[in-house]
Amino acid sequence: MVQDQRAVLELLYRVSREFATALDLKTVLTRVLFSAIKNVGGERGSVVVMDDYGRAVDSAIVYGNQLRESNTMQLKATVDHGLAGWVVRNRQAALVPDTSKDSRWLLREDDAMDRSGAKSAICVPLMTREKLVGVLTLVHPVPGSYNVDHLDLMQAIADQAGIAVLNARLFSESQRQARAMTALAEGAASLSSSVRMDDLFENILTQTKQALQVEITALGLVEDQELVFRAASQYGDVVIGKRLKLNEGIAGTVAFQGHGVIIPAAASDTQPLLSQTEIIPGVKVRALACAPIQVQGKVIGVLEAINPVNKSFDPDALFVLTGLGALAGTTIQNAQLFESLDAARKRYRDLFEDSIDPIIITDLKGRILEVNKQAVFFSGHSAAALHEFLIAQVHDINYEKTGRLFEKIGDSGLIYESTLYDSRGGTYPVEVYSRKVIFDETKSIQWILRDLTERKELDSLREDLAAMIYHDLRSPLANILSSVEMLDMILSEPERENAAPIMKIAHDSINRIQRLVSSLLDLNRLEQNQPVGERQSVEAALLVTDAVDAVGPSAAAREQTIITLVAENLSPLWVDIDMIRRVLINLLENAVKYTPMGGRVEIGAEVDGDYVRFFVLDNGQGIPETERDRIFDKFARLKNKTGAKGLGVGLAFCKLAVQGHGGKIWVEPAAERGSKFLFTVPMVNKK
Ligand code: ADP
């Protein structure tokens, strides 16, 4: 069969042209095998293509003039252990006249004597520029059919084939890479278009399915240290909601370790790797790829591709899946942010709409942008009408607080009382709470106008009641006092002695009521900025003694000790004596009232510049820092453990009385526990 030199050259010229005109790897391989069998002879031939790292990447098998379905995995055994392996390792052609006698030949079932038995074989490396690109093997059914001439011819054909195979391999690699890149680019373009989570999941699954050409895709997210399946291209009803522990099965392991896994093997090998949870009833997992979904290096889930349509995965499958996983990570995170933002916006909307207070949103110039139901209700204008208004048309703005251009309104908000005007000419007292907010992504001002009608009515009711009590109490009280005094006078001496304790109780009680009534009256007067009553000079020590006398019985009843600490050499005070006495009594009464049984109270006075500073100290429950200003407001009362009751006007009176004298009043925490009330009033030399 070996022809003369010229014929060989012609042959080689023809085959090299034939090989070079094809670019598709399979076509090139088939042509190489056909021409080898035709020109060298033999029953069958195979070719294995290797990549730059010596890994088998593609193959072809020909029987006679038929291309056989081949699996590169099967040929791998030959390349690793068989004749082809020897050729690869030695970069040298091999001639095997009898396969049953050559240890390089990998014996298979087929080689048994009762089957095809001994054969002859030729195997040559496919080289180009010193680089191995594959191995070509020919097999003849009859031992001794090949000789050295056959080997030379085969090598010559292989030399022509090498470059063509390399080109075709590079071409198919570049095409695959291009496909992978296209898949990723398409994925990126498509994924970034969805912000809603459900759409996004569907989109990721579709992109993955297309890019990897698989039957099933699924997606899981890491939630509370577990992987929870959130979407699947098929079998959603069984897959969605499945939970895997991190490190459980394939998907759990990928989620835990953060790098992808590809299992290209047959079902028998794959199935045992799956955890019980991962098995989908009725689905045989032939091959599977799983990649992490990551955001900034953190695994937030996994993307799974099951059963490639073409039976096996492309070598780039994991690369593409990992790329899609990375893309999915960013888009899922965006969608999550979007969803939480959306939820927050909706929550704000609901709160806004359902608020029992009228709420109005304006721009920074005060033009109304948005109003809630209550704003419509209170103002009597329709929402559309209000949108044409300025906030100043709805209520009286306290420009002193807000600033002319609302520049004083900040993020933490400010409060003032005002009047809201409605469409019918009516008015409502309101407390306005205004602050800067971001509304529909623009800087805006939110105005909450709380209706104070009820509170105002309650306040005025209280005031009316107070006014009624002290006006209507004063004269009957004076009558009682004079009656008691008269009674005392008409009693005989022994009777008077017997009645003395009762008379004292009556006197003390009348005095207390009188003090209360006078303080309420003073409070009313001082609130209207009227001056304090006539001033006289008095010793501080005397006022302290009066106070201790007045409160002493209550303190004694509560087994408390009152200690007086008046500094020596104090100049006399210049005050409305009755008023300041009542201030001291008030503070001392509170100290006794809010200090538990057996407590200790101190009262005293010392110099403070031109003033005398009085103090009343107790070891009771104390007053929280946040309340230390507020307790001096009218009707302010704190929750107290002693259960003591009061009106909440005592300290309000004290404050106005002291301020009416040009002094100050405040409270400090006592050194250990309890409170220390202090106030200053002027000394005589300051008058
Ligand atoms: P009233 O005693 O009638 O309630 P006041 O104006 O005298 O009203 O006091 C206001 C509130 O301040 C009291 O309700 C009480 O909660 C608190 N307070 C006043 N003095 C003391 C004190 N010495 N220790 C603790 N709490 C006090």
Side-chain angles (χ1 to χ4, degrees), residues 2-49:
V2 180
Q3 322 242 323
D4 59 27
Q5 207 77 350
R6 190 187 152 83
V8 170
L9 282 176
E10 263 178 23
L11 164 72
L12 292 179
Y13 174 68
R14 214 173 55 238
V15 294
S16 82
R17 279 196 46 179
E18 202 178 287
F19 299 162
T21 48
L23 252 188
D24 172 58
L25 188 56
K26 271 278 187 284
T27 314
V28 172
L29 298 183
T30 319
R31 285 186 187 173
V32 170
L33 286 172
F34 281 164
S35 74
I37 291 177
K38 191 171 141 209
N39 298 295
V40 186
E43 177 195 39
R44 59 181 152 110
S46 69
V47 58
V48 180
V49 182

Short mmCIF file of all heavy atoms in Angstrom, two decimals, residues 2-49:
data_model
loop_
_atom_site.label_atom_id
_atom_site.label_comp_id
_atom_site.label_asym_id
_atom_site.label_seq_id
_atom_site.Cartn_x
_atom_site.Cartn_y
_atom_site.Cartn_z
N VAL A 2 2.08 1.10 0.50
CA VAL A 2 2.95 2.28 0.51
C VAL A 2 3.31 2.65 -0.93
O VAL A 2 3.78 1.83 -1.71
CB VAL A 2 4.24 2.00 1.32
CG1 VAL A 2 5.12 3.24 1.33
CG2 VAL A 2 3.87 1.55 2.71
N GLN A 3 3.05 3.87 -1.26
CA GLN A 3 3.25 4.30 -2.64
C GLN A 3 4.63 4.90 -2.79
O GLN A 3 5.39 5.04 -1.83
CB GLN A 3 2.20 5.37 -2.97
CG GLN A 3 0.86 5.08 -2.34
CD GLN A 3 -0.23 4.89 -3.35
OE1 GLN A 3 -0.25 5.56 -4.37
NE2 GLN A 3 -1.11 3.94 -3.11
N ASP A 4 4.93 5.32 -3.99
CA ASP A 4 6.25 5.95 -4.14
C ASP A 4 6.23 7.37 -3.57
O ASP A 4 5.19 7.90 -3.19
CB ASP A 4 6.71 5.95 -5.62
CG ASP A 4 5.73 6.70 -6.49
OD1 ASP A 4 5.04 7.61 -5.95
OD2 ASP A 4 5.62 6.39 -7.68
N GLN A 5 7.42 7.94 -3.51
CA GLN A 5 7.62 9.25 -2.87
C GLN A 5 6.62 10.30 -3.34
O GLN A 5 6.01 11.00 -2.55
CB GLN A 5 9.04 9.70 -3.23
CG GLN A 5 9.63 10.62 -2.21
CD GLN A 5 10.10 9.81 -1.01
OE1 GLN A 5 9.81 8.60 -0.88
NE2 GLN A 5 10.76 10.48 -0.09
N ARG A 6 6.46 10.37 -4.66
CA ARG A 6 5.60 11.38 -5.26
C ARG A 6 4.15 11.21 -4.81
O ARG A 6 3.47 12.18 -4.44
CB ARG A 6 5.72 11.26 -6.78
CG ARG A 6 5.08 12.39 -7.52
CD ARG A 6 5.08 12.10 -9.02
NE ARG A 6 3.96 12.79 -9.63
CZ ARG A 6 3.98 14.05 -9.97
NH1 ARG A 6 5.06 14.78 -9.76
NH2 ARG A 6 2.92 14.64 -10.52
N ALA A 7 3.75 9.95 -4.83
CA ALA A 7 2.37 9.67 -4.42
C ALA A 7 2.14 10.09 -2.98
O ALA A 7 1.11 10.66 -2.63
CB ALA A 7 2.05 8.19 -4.59
N VAL A 8 3.16 9.83 -2.15
CA VAL A 8 3.04 10.20 -0.74
C VAL A 8 2.92 11.71 -0.59
O VAL A 8 2.07 12.24 0.14
CB VAL A 8 4.25 9.67 0.07
CG1 VAL A 8 4.25 10.26 1.48
CG2 VAL A 8 4.24 8.16 0.11
N LEU A 9 3.78 12.40 -1.32
CA LEU A 9 3.74 13.86 -1.25
C LEU A 9 2.38 14.40 -1.66
O LEU A 9 1.82 15.30 -1.03
CB LEU A 9 4.83 14.47 -2.14
CG LEU A 9 6.24 14.42 -1.51
CD1 LEU A 9 7.27 14.94 -2.49
CD2 LEU A 9 6.26 15.23 -0.21
N GLU A 10 1.85 13.79 -2.75
CA GLU A 10 0.53 14.21 -3.23
C GLU A 10 -0.54 13.99 -2.16
O GLU A 10 -1.38 14.84 -1.90
CB GLU A 10 0.17 13.41 -4.48
CG GLU A 10 0.48 14.18 -5.75
CD GLU A 10 0.14 13.34 -6.98
OE1 GLU A 10 -0.69 12.42 -6.88
OE2 GLU A 10 0.73 13.64 -8.01
N LEU A 11 -0.39 12.82 -1.55
CA LEU A 11 -1.35 12.47 -0.50
C LEU A 11 -1.29 13.51 0.63
O LEU A 11 -2.32 14.04 1.07
CB LEU A 11 -1.03 11.07 0.05
CG LEU A 11 -1.69 10.74 1.39
CD1 LEU A 11 -3.18 10.52 1.19
CD2 LEU A 11 -1.06 9.53 2.03
N LEU A 12 -0.05 13.77 1.07
CA LEU A 12 0.09 14.70 2.19
C LEU A 12 -0.43 16.09 1.83
O LEU A 12 -1.06 16.78 2.64
CB LEU A 12 1.55 14.79 2.65
CG LEU A 12 2.07 13.51 3.29
CD1 LEU A 12 3.52 13.67 3.69
CD2 LEU A 12 1.22 13.13 4.49
N TYR A 13 -0.16 16.51 0.62
CA TYR A 13 -0.63 17.81 0.17
C TYR A 13 -2.16 17.85 0.24
O TYR A 13 -2.77 18.79 0.75
CB TYR A 13 -0.14 18.05 -1.26
CG TYR A 13 -0.70 19.32 -1.86
CD1 TYR A 13 -0.30 20.55 -1.35
CD2 TYR A 13 -1.62 19.27 -2.90
CE1 TYR A 13 -0.81 21.71 -1.89
CE2 TYR A 13 -2.14 20.43 -3.44
CZ TYR A 13 -1.74 21.66 -2.93
OH TYR A 13 -2.25 22.79 -3.45
N ARG A 14 -2.77 16.73 -0.21
CA ARG A 14 -4.23 16.69 -0.24
C ARG A 14 -4.82 16.71 1.19
O ARG A 14 -5.70 17.47 1.51
CB ARG A 14 -4.68 15.42 -0.97
CG ARG A 14 -5.98 15.65 -1.76
CD ARG A 14 -6.32 14.48 -2.60
NE ARG A 14 -6.37 13.33 -1.78
CZ ARG A 14 -5.66 12.19 -1.90
NH1 ARG A 14 -4.93 12.01 -2.76
NH2 ARG A 14 -5.69 11.19 -1.10
N VAL A 15 -4.22 15.82 2.03
CA VAL A 15 -4.81 15.77 3.37
C VAL A 15 -4.61 17.08 4.12
O VAL A 15 -5.49 17.55 4.83
CB VAL A 15 -4.30 14.58 4.24
CG1 VAL A 15 -4.72 13.26 3.68
CG2 VAL A 15 -2.80 14.66 4.48
N SER A 16 -3.44 17.68 3.92
CA SER A 16 -3.22 18.92 4.69
C SER A 16 -4.21 19.98 4.25
O SER A 16 -4.72 20.74 5.07
CB SER A 16 -1.77 19.40 4.54
OG SER A 16 -1.63 20.11 3.34
N ARG A 17 -4.53 20.00 2.95
CA ARG A 17 -5.53 20.97 2.47
C ARG A 17 -6.90 20.64 3.05
O ARG A 17 -7.66 21.52 3.47
CB ARG A 17 -5.59 20.97 0.94
CG ARG A 17 -4.47 21.80 0.37
CD ARG A 17 -4.73 22.11 -1.05
NE ARG A 17 -6.11 22.57 -1.29
CZ ARG A 17 -6.55 22.90 -2.47
NH1 ARG A 17 -5.77 22.83 -3.51
NH2 ARG A 17 -7.78 23.30 -2.63
N GLU A 18 -7.18 19.35 3.06
CA GLU A 18 -8.48 18.89 3.53
C GLU A 18 -8.67 19.26 5.02
O GLU A 18 -9.71 19.76 5.43
CB GLU A 18 -8.53 17.38 3.37
CG GLU A 18 -9.91 16.80 3.32
CD GLU A 18 -9.78 15.30 3.11
OE1 GLU A 18 -9.43 14.90 1.99
OE2 GLU A 18 -9.98 14.55 4.07
N PHE A 19 -7.58 19.02 5.79
CA PHE A 19 -7.67 19.33 7.22
C PHE A 19 -7.83 20.82 7.44
O PHE A 19 -8.61 21.28 8.27
CB PHE A 19 -6.40 18.88 7.97
CG PHE A 19 -6.14 17.41 7.91
CD1 PHE A 19 -4.88 16.90 8.20
CD2 PHE A 19 -7.16 16.52 7.58
CE1 PHE A 19 -4.62 15.55 8.16
CE2 PHE A 19 -6.91 15.16 7.54
CZ PHE A 19 -5.63 14.68 7.81
N ALA A 20 -7.05 21.57 6.69
CA ALA A 20 -6.97 23.01 6.98
C ALA A 20 -8.24 23.75 6.61
O ALA A 20 -8.46 24.86 7.08
CB ALA A 20 -5.77 23.61 6.26
N THR A 21 -9.06 23.15 5.71
CA THR A 21 -10.24 23.89 5.29
C THR A 21 -11.38 23.83 6.31
O THR A 21 -12.38 24.50 6.16
CB THR A 21 -10.78 23.40 3.94
OG1 THR A 21 -10.86 21.98 4.01
CG2 THR A 21 -9.91 23.84 2.79
N ALA A 22 -11.20 22.98 7.33
CA ALA A 22 -12.27 22.93 8.34
C ALA A 22 -11.81 23.63 9.61
O ALA A 22 -10.63 23.63 9.94
CB ALA A 22 -12.62 21.48 8.65
N LEU A 23 -12.73 24.23 10.31
CA LEU A 23 -12.39 24.90 11.56
C LEU A 23 -13.04 24.22 12.76
O LEU A 23 -12.54 24.29 13.86
CB LEU A 23 -12.85 26.36 11.51
CG LEU A 23 -11.72 27.38 11.39
CD1 LEU A 23 -12.25 28.77 11.55
CD2 LEU A 23 -10.59 27.11 12.39
N ASP A 24 -14.16 23.54 12.48
CA ASP A 24 -14.86 22.89 13.58
C ASP A 24 -14.05 21.67 14.02
O ASP A 24 -13.65 20.84 13.20
CB ASP A 24 -16.26 22.47 13.09
CG ASP A 24 -16.95 21.63 14.12
OD1 ASP A 24 -17.11 22.12 15.26
OD2 ASP A 24 -17.30 20.47 13.81
N LEU A 25 -13.79 21.55 15.31
CA LEU A 25 -12.88 20.53 15.82
C LEU A 25 -13.34 19.12 15.46
O LEU A 25 -12.56 18.30 14.99
CB LEU A 25 -12.74 20.69 17.34
CG LEU A 25 -11.67 19.82 18.01
CD1 LEU A 25 -10.29 20.03 17.38
CD2 LEU A 25 -11.60 20.12 19.50
N LYS A 26 -14.64 18.85 15.65
CA LYS A 26 -15.16 17.50 15.35
C LYS A 26 -14.92 17.15 13.89
O LYS A 26 -14.51 16.04 13.56
CB LYS A 26 -16.66 17.43 15.68
CG LYS A 26 -16.95 17.02 17.13
CD LYS A 26 -16.90 15.51 17.30
CE LYS A 26 -17.34 15.05 18.67
NZ LYS A 26 -16.46 15.20 19.78
N THR A 27 -15.18 18.12 13.01
CA THR A 27 -15.00 17.87 11.57
C THR A 27 -13.53 17.56 11.27
O THR A 27 -13.22 16.62 10.54
CB THR A 27 -15.46 19.10 10.75
OG1 THR A 27 -16.69 19.52 11.27
CG2 THR A 27 -15.55 18.81 9.29
N VAL A 28 -12.64 18.35 11.85
CA VAL A 28 -11.22 18.13 11.59
C VAL A 28 -10.82 16.74 12.06
O VAL A 28 -10.17 15.99 11.34
CB VAL A 28 -10.37 19.22 12.29
CG1 VAL A 28 -8.88 18.89 12.20
CG2 VAL A 28 -10.65 20.58 11.69
N LEU A 29 -11.27 16.37 13.27
CA LEU A 29 -10.89 15.06 13.81
C LEU A 29 -11.41 13.93 12.92
O LEU A 29 -10.70 12.95 12.64
CB LEU A 29 -11.44 14.90 15.24
CG LEU A 29 -10.91 15.90 16.27
CD1 LEU A 29 -11.47 15.57 17.65
CD2 LEU A 29 -9.39 15.91 16.30
N THR A 30 -12.66 14.06 12.47
CA THR A 30 -13.24 13.02 11.63
C THR A 30 -12.44 12.88 10.33
O THR A 30 -12.10 11.77 9.90
CB THR A 30 -14.71 13.38 11.29
OG1 THR A 30 -15.31 13.90 12.46
CG2 THR A 30 -15.48 12.19 10.81
N ARG A 31 -12.11 14.04 9.77
CA ARG A 31 -11.36 13.97 8.50
C ARG A 31 -10.00 13.32 8.71
O ARG A 31 -9.54 12.53 7.89
CB ARG A 31 -11.16 15.38 7.94
CG ARG A 31 -12.44 15.90 7.32
CD ARG A 31 -12.22 17.23 6.64
NE ARG A 31 -13.49 17.78 6.21
CZ ARG A 31 -13.61 18.99 5.70
NH1 ARG A 31 -12.54 19.78 5.60
NH2 ARG A 31 -14.78 19.42 5.30
N VAL A 32 -9.33 13.64 9.81
CA VAL A 32 -8.02 13.07 10.08
C VAL A 32 -8.14 11.55 10.19
O VAL A 32 -7.37 10.79 9.58
CB VAL A 32 -7.42 13.65 11.38
CG1 VAL A 32 -6.17 12.89 11.81
CG2 VAL A 32 -7.09 15.12 11.19
N LEU A 33 -9.17 11.11 10.93
CA LEU A 33 -9.34 9.67 11.12
C LEU A 33 -9.68 8.95 9.81
O LEU A 33 -9.10 7.91 9.48
CB LEU A 33 -10.41 9.39 12.18
CG LEU A 33 -9.96 9.68 13.61
CD1 LEU A 33 -11.14 9.58 14.57
CD2 LEU A 33 -8.87 8.70 14.03
N PHE A 34 -10.60 9.55 9.07
CA PHE A 34 -10.97 8.93 7.79
C PHE A 34 -9.75 8.77 6.89
O PHE A 34 -9.50 7.72 6.32
CB PHE A 34 -12.04 9.77 7.07
CG PHE A 34 -13.44 9.56 7.62
CD1 PHE A 34 -14.46 10.47 7.33
CD2 PHE A 34 -13.73 8.44 8.41
CE1 PHE A 34 -15.74 10.28 7.82
CE2 PHE A 34 -15.01 8.26 8.91
CZ PHE A 34 -16.02 9.19 8.61
N SER A 35 -8.97 9.83 6.76
CA SER A 35 -7.87 9.74 5.81
C SER A 35 -6.78 8.81 6.34
O SER A 35 -6.10 8.15 5.56
CB SER A 35 -7.33 11.12 5.44
OG SER A 35 -6.60 11.64 6.47
N ALA A 36 -6.63 8.73 7.69
CA ALA A 36 -5.64 7.79 8.23
C ALA A 36 -6.05 6.36 7.91
O ALA A 36 -5.23 5.56 7.44
CB ALA A 36 -5.50 8.00 9.73
N ILE A 37 -7.33 6.03 8.17
CA ILE A 37 -7.79 4.67 7.91
C ILE A 37 -7.68 4.33 6.43
O ILE A 37 -7.20 3.28 6.02
CB ILE A 37 -9.23 4.48 8.42
CG1 ILE A 37 -9.24 4.52 9.95
CG2 ILE A 37 -9.82 3.15 7.92
CD1 ILE A 37 -10.62 4.42 10.58
N LYS A 38 -8.08 5.34 5.62
CA LYS A 38 -8.08 5.11 4.18
C LYS A 38 -6.66 4.87 3.65
O LYS A 38 -6.43 3.97 2.86
CB LYS A 38 -8.69 6.32 3.48
CG LYS A 38 -9.00 6.09 2.02
CD LYS A 38 -9.81 7.26 1.47
CE LYS A 38 -9.33 7.57 0.06
NZ LYS A 38 -9.52 8.97 -0.25
N ASN A 39 -5.69 5.67 4.14
CA ASN A 39 -4.35 5.60 3.56
C ASN A 39 -3.39 4.67 4.29
O ASN A 39 -2.47 4.16 3.69
CB ASN A 39 -3.74 7.00 3.49
CG ASN A 39 -4.56 7.90 2.57
OD1 ASN A 39 -4.64 7.66 1.38
ND2 ASN A 39 -5.21 8.90 3.15
N VAL A 40 -3.59 4.47 5.59
CA VAL A 40 -2.69 3.58 6.34
C VAL A 40 -3.32 2.21 6.50
O VAL A 40 -2.63 1.20 6.61
CB VAL A 40 -2.34 4.20 7.71
CG1 VAL A 40 -1.30 3.37 8.45
CG2 VAL A 40 -1.82 5.62 7.55
N GLY A 41 -4.65 2.19 6.52
CA GLY A 41 -5.36 0.92 6.68
C GLY A 41 -5.72 0.68 8.13
O GLY A 41 -5.17 1.30 9.04
N GLY A 42 -6.67 -0.19 8.33
CA GLY A 42 -7.10 -0.50 9.70
C GLY A 42 -8.60 -0.53 9.79
O GLY A 42 -9.31 -0.15 8.84
N GLU A 43 -9.05 -1.02 10.97
CA GLU A 43 -10.48 -1.20 11.14
C GLU A 43 -11.11 0.01 11.83
O GLU A 43 -12.21 0.42 11.54
CB GLU A 43 -10.69 -2.45 12.00
CG GLU A 43 -12.11 -2.75 12.33
CD GLU A 43 -12.16 -3.75 13.46
OE1 GLU A 43 -11.34 -3.65 14.40
OE2 GLU A 43 -13.04 -4.63 13.40
N ARG A 44 -10.35 0.57 12.76
CA ARG A 44 -10.87 1.73 13.49
C ARG A 44 -9.73 2.62 13.94
O ARG A 44 -8.56 2.21 13.94
CB ARG A 44 -11.67 1.29 14.70
CG ARG A 44 -10.89 0.45 15.68
CD ARG A 44 -11.79 0.05 16.83
NE ARG A 44 -11.37 -1.20 17.41
CZ ARG A 44 -10.82 -1.31 18.63
NH1 ARG A 44 -10.64 -0.23 19.37
NH2 ARG A 44 -10.48 -2.47 19.10
N GLY A 45 -10.12 3.83 14.31
CA GLY A 45 -9.11 4.78 14.78
C GLY A 45 -9.71 5.73 15.79
O GLY A 45 -10.93 5.92 15.84
N SER A 46 -8.84 6.32 16.62
CA SER A 46 -9.35 7.31 17.57
C SER A 46 -8.35 8.44 17.71
O SER A 46 -7.16 8.26 17.44
CB SER A 46 -9.58 6.67 18.93
OG SER A 46 -8.34 6.34 19.51
N VAL A 47 -8.84 9.57 18.05
CA VAL A 47 -7.96 10.69 18.30
C VAL A 47 -8.42 11.38 19.59
O VAL A 47 -9.61 11.52 19.83
CB VAL A 47 -7.91 11.65 17.08
CG1 VAL A 47 -9.27 12.17 16.73
CG2 VAL A 47 -6.97 12.81 17.31
N VAL A 48 -7.44 11.74 20.44
CA VAL A 48 -7.76 12.47 21.67
C VAL A 48 -7.05 13.81 21.58
O VAL A 48 -5.87 13.86 21.25
CB VAL A 48 -7.26 11.71 22.92
CG1 VAL A 48 -7.59 12.48 24.19
CG2 VAL A 48 -7.88 10.32 22.97
N VAL A 49 -7.78 14.88 21.87
CA VAL A 49 -7.18 16.23 21.80
C VAL A 49 -6.83 16.66 23.22
O VAL A 49 -7.59 16.44 24.15
CB VAL A 49 -8.17 17.23 21.18
CG1 VAL A 49 -7.54 18.61 21.07
CG2 VAL A 49 -8.64 16.74 19.83
#
